[in-house]
Amino acid sequence: MDDKPHRAEAAWPIVGLKDHNAPSVFRPEALLREARRQRQLPLATVPELCVLDPDGDVVRHLKRTGAGRVHEGWACYHTELLAFDLDGLGEVGIVGCAVGAPFAVLVAEQLFASGCRLLVSVTSAGQITPIGPTPYFVLIDRALRDEGTSYHYLPGSTFAEAPDASLLTNVEQAGWALPGITMHRGATWTTDAPYRETEAAISRARDLGALAVEMEAAALYAFSAKSGSPVVCFAHVTNAMAQTEGDFEKGEADGAKATLAVVAAAIRGWSATPRPS
């Protein structure tokens, strides 16, 4: 019996027949309601400005310095949310160690269902196209869809694009003004399988214009495009996939201070972007 279906058939579930406009039966609001009930948590919104910190370096820095406080109303089963004040921009919420596309989008869904209005993701990334010495940041404007989550939100395509071009332009302009921080803008390769970054896969990603490889951006931009929820993704390029000793150096406080400056720039860019009334 032939068990090798053609990729266009429904037997390939990741790209098979999907109604991307159909509402989901399982909603984040319902899960949060049950979590609040079971854990006897108050009904409280999260800060309007939130950050995903997949490596957890910023969260550890905030805890170490006493700047972060646990948000008692965050009803996620899997993560803790810290709140902190950032550069006169107001209260910001941050979730650490939500690594990979499905985990990042799960948390993003729940953050926007809880009152978030802007989500900034700053993820550690490997260098694909050498454009300068690491560490530096890439403001991601599109991400190669080599993961599974984005296909549940958008039909198949090579890249997931950042859906709000004016927002990205304003964030880019704010980023250029940061002293001592190098920021580029461009494409990344989002993968579910970092330990399958083969020479051929790296070469293909480079040929498609990817500057770096990370694990969340394509899915977060697909979610953003489908939901209309503003998301800005950065790659913090810190390594060349550990091919030499001394790799993965992020800078002062494990890169936390530079990352917080980039987050502040993203918030300023978002504040300068007109929003639908």
Side-chain angles (χ1 to χ4, degrees):
M1 179 178 176
D2 183 6
D3 62 350
K4 298 178 179 178
H6 187 273
R7 62 181 301 158
E9 297 175 352
W12 293 95
I14 202 70
V15 292
L17 297 177
K18 280 185 171 61
D19 183 353
H20 293 93
N21 293 318
S24 177
V25 172
F26 187 33
R27 297 291 306 160
E29 295 86 352
L31 181 70
L32 294 166
R33 181 196 66 222
E34 296 308 307
R36 281 193 297 270
R37 176 183 61 79
Q38 290 180 344
R39 299 164 61 187
Q40 298 183 324
L41 298 176
L43 179 59
T45 58
V46 301
E48 292 185 347
L49 310 167
C50 288
V51 179
L52 290 181
D53 172 32
D55 280 9
D57 291 318
V58 178
V59 167
R60 286 187 285 273
H61 170 73
L62 293 171
K63 287 184 173 180
R64 191 164 53 242
T65 59
R69 49 196 177 273
V70 175
H71 190 283
E72 299 295 341
W74 176 233
C76 180
Y77 281 113
H78 313 95
T79 63
E80 177 183 73
L81 185 144
L82 291 186
F84 65 103
D85 300 314
L86 179 61
D87 291 348
L89 297 169
E91 185 178 59
V92 174
I94 185 167
V95 174
C97 299
V99 179
F103 198 178
V105 172
L106 179 146
V107 173
E109 288 264 23
Q110 295 177 185
L111 284 171
F112 281 101
S114 300
C116 173
R117 296 181 64 203
L118 171 69
L119 180 63
V120 181
S121 173
V122 188
T123 185
S124 179
Q127 188 181 64
I128 294 297
T129 301
I131 54 175
T134 62
Y136 55 82
F137 292 87
V138 174
L139 172 59
I140 302 171
D141 56 18
R142 61 178 183 160
L144 184 62
R145 298 173 65 181
D146 196 13
E147 42 66 56
T149 305
S150 68
Y151 297 90
H152 296 274
Y153 288 86
L154 295 176
S157 62
T158 304
F159 287 94
E161 308 273 349
D164 189 336
S166 60
L167 170 60
L168 228 62
T169 297
N170 288 333
V171 171
E172 183 180 21
Q173 291 175 350
W176 282 345
L178 294 174
I181 291 177
T182 302
M183 184 179 297
H184 303 275
R185 173 173 170 169
T188 58
W189 161 30
T190 304
T191 180
D192 280 340
Y195 298 127
R196 290 302 300 155
E197 293 170 7
T198 64
E199 289 187 11
I202 292 168
S203 178
R204 177 174 179 271
R206 187 181 295 127
D207 289 345
L208 288 169
L211 301 179
V213 58
E214 41 74 33
M215 297 181 65
E216 295 88 16
L220 286 169
Y221 278 159
F223 157 74
S224 177
K226 190 63 185 176
S227 66
S229 303
V231 176
V232 177
C233 295
F234 293 93
H236 191 188
V237 183
T238 61
N239 66 86
M241 287 158 275
Q243 296 178 84
T244 59
E245 290 189 15
D247 212 2
F248 285 88
E249 292 299 325
K250 297 180 177 179
E252 185 178 1
D254 294 325
K257 293 186 177 181
T259 296
L260 288 172
V262 167
V263 169
I267 293 171
R268 293 189 186 97
W270 177 72
S271 298
T273 305
R275 292 184 286 278
S277 57

